[in-house]
Amino acid sequence: MHLLSATAGLVLVNGVSYGLLLFMLSSGLTLIFSMLGVLNFAHASFYMLGAYFAYALSAQIGFWAALVVAPLLVGVFGALFERGVLRRLRSRGALAELLATFGLAYVVVELVQLAWGRGPVDYGVPAAFDGVIVQVAGIAVPAYRLFLMALACAIALLVWVAFRATRVGLVLQAALSQPAMTQALGYDVPALYTGVFACGAALAALAGAAGGNVLVTEPGMAATVGSVVFVVVVVGGLGSLGGAFVASLLIGLLQTWAVTSDASLASWWSQAASGTLGDALVPLARLSVAQLAPAVPYLLMVAVLLWRPRGLFGVREG
């Protein structure tokens, strides 16, 4: 009984930590879509750049300084891209902007491979957390995972306060609903858009800098997590930060549970399928839930869209 509860507790901790990391990444994408209406296909590339920049900088200035500097550098890069490319394409419609971000994603991958190679890099957790285990309700949890969870919660609180309870947030909300009126009142709306894009890129980079040493830092990391982040945004509801938070935790918990599950489809296949078609699909019954774990976010997305097409907390249609 103790083993069962310890296993469930470990799944809970790992699922929540992974979900909060997904939120750090998806919150930036949600902000960008809310303000600019752009589905940024290069967003996961900013996450990858954050991990690689932090890896390179940590050897020179230490991990903690790199954790701050890397997101700032990526944020500046995002601002330059928005100002130099997306702003020029805005008059041509959303498709042109989407294609530009799509192209940027491939450019970033090629540049990363040229700079750091095609294999993974040795980006480890900081020495202060290396090998440190903390007992939480009888469950052994790596201290760095607790740090990631605390950082993600702090970012969620900071983003909520910044965009809901400050003057800047009120101006941004006004620019979202009435850009022409906000511009007429003397606010530089294009500069606000650039700032939001830079903040979104920096949030993605922070997720990479903080989580790249727990996950693998390699050129395919953007493709691995990028599609899941879009699922988070769709399930939560396009433009909803609260929805992104709930969807991130839900996907993190479900996928972590699926990875550790020893259940299989064979237990119910004989009852659910019969006849020629069922016999032909018998090989599917040999699949375990763990093997289907990568598909869990997409199955959840299909289920949510069938039930609620705008997502759980959708505030803006795509």
Side-chain angles (χ1 to χ4, degrees):
M1 188 70 174
H2 176 71
L3 177 62
L4 179 60
S5 98
T7 302
L10 191 58
V11 169
L12 178 64
V13 170
N14 289 337
V16 169
S17 64
Y18 177 56
L20 289 174
L21 182 64
L22 286 178
F23 173 73
M24 271 202 293
L25 184 51
S26 62
S27 60
L29 182 61
T30 301
L31 289 176
I32 290 172
F33 180 81
S34 295
M35 284 297 301
L36 280 71
V38 177
L39 277 176
N40 179 20
F41 270 87
H43 195 72
S45 299
F46 295 147
Y47 160 78
M48 178 174 63
L49 282 179
Y52 273 99
F53 284 179
Y55 159 73
L57 290 169
S58 60
Q60 306 297 325
I61 61 177
F63 171 79
W64 299 108
L67 190 62
V68 176
V69 175
L72 291 177
L73 290 176
V74 177
V76 170
F77 173 72
L80 293 174
F81 177 73
E82 195 282 334
R83 186 180 180 88
V85 178
L86 292 183
R87 186 178 297 187
R88 297 173 184 268
L89 295 175
R90 192 153 294 133
S91 61
R92 302 184 184 181
L95 180 60
E97 294 174 315
L98 186 147
L99 291 175
T101 63
F102 190 77
L104 176 64
Y106 280 93
V107 170
V108 169
V109 170
E110 292 299 325
L111 291 176
V112 164
Q113 290 178 346
L114 288 173
W116 287 284
R118 297 180 179 274
V121 296
D122 186 20
Y123 181 31
V125 299
F129 290 104
D130 191 17
V132 179
I133 302 297
V134 178
Q135 293 290 329
V136 179
I139 304 168
V141 182
Y144 192 73
R145 282 197 176 269
L146 294 177
F147 165 74
L148 281 180
M149 294 166 68
L151 177 63
C153 290
I155 293 298
L157 180 62
L158 179 63
V159 170
W160 186 87
V161 170
F163 285 89
R164 297 294 179 185
T166 65
R167 180 180 178 83
V168 173
L170 294 176
V171 172
L172 287 174
Q173 292 180 55
L176 171 61
S177 58
Q178 298 291 338
M181 182 64 70
T182 306
Q183 184 79 28
L185 290 174
Y187 295 101
D188 190 347
V189 173
L192 290 175
Y193 288 167
T194 300
V196 169
F197 195 91
C199 287
L203 284 174
L206 179 60
N213 44 20
V214 174
L215 306 174
V216 180
T217 299
E218 48 89 22
M221 64 188 298
T224 300
V225 76
S227 58
V228 178
V229 171
F230 276 98
V231 170
V232 168
V233 174
V234 172
V235 170
L238 292 173
S240 172
L241 276 172
F245 185 79
V246 172
S248 296
L249 290 178
L250 185 60
I251 289 174
L253 289 169
L254 285 176
Q255 195 160 20
T256 303
W257 167 80
V259 167
T260 58
S261 174
D262 58 359
S264 70
L265 303 182
S267 58
W268 57 268
W269 185 266
S270 59
Q271 298 177 353
S274 60
T276 304
L277 181 59
D279 294 339
L281 298 179
V282 162
L284 291 177
R286 301 192 185 101
L287 295 177
S288 65
V289 173
Q291 289 174 301
L292 294 174
V296 165
Y298 310 101
L299 294 174
L300 176 64
M301 180 179 68
V302 171
V304 168
L305 290 178
L306 287 174
W307 166 64
R308 188 177 175 85
R310 295 183 66 184
L312 297 177
F313 301 93
V315 295
R316 176 174 179 167
E317 294 186 4

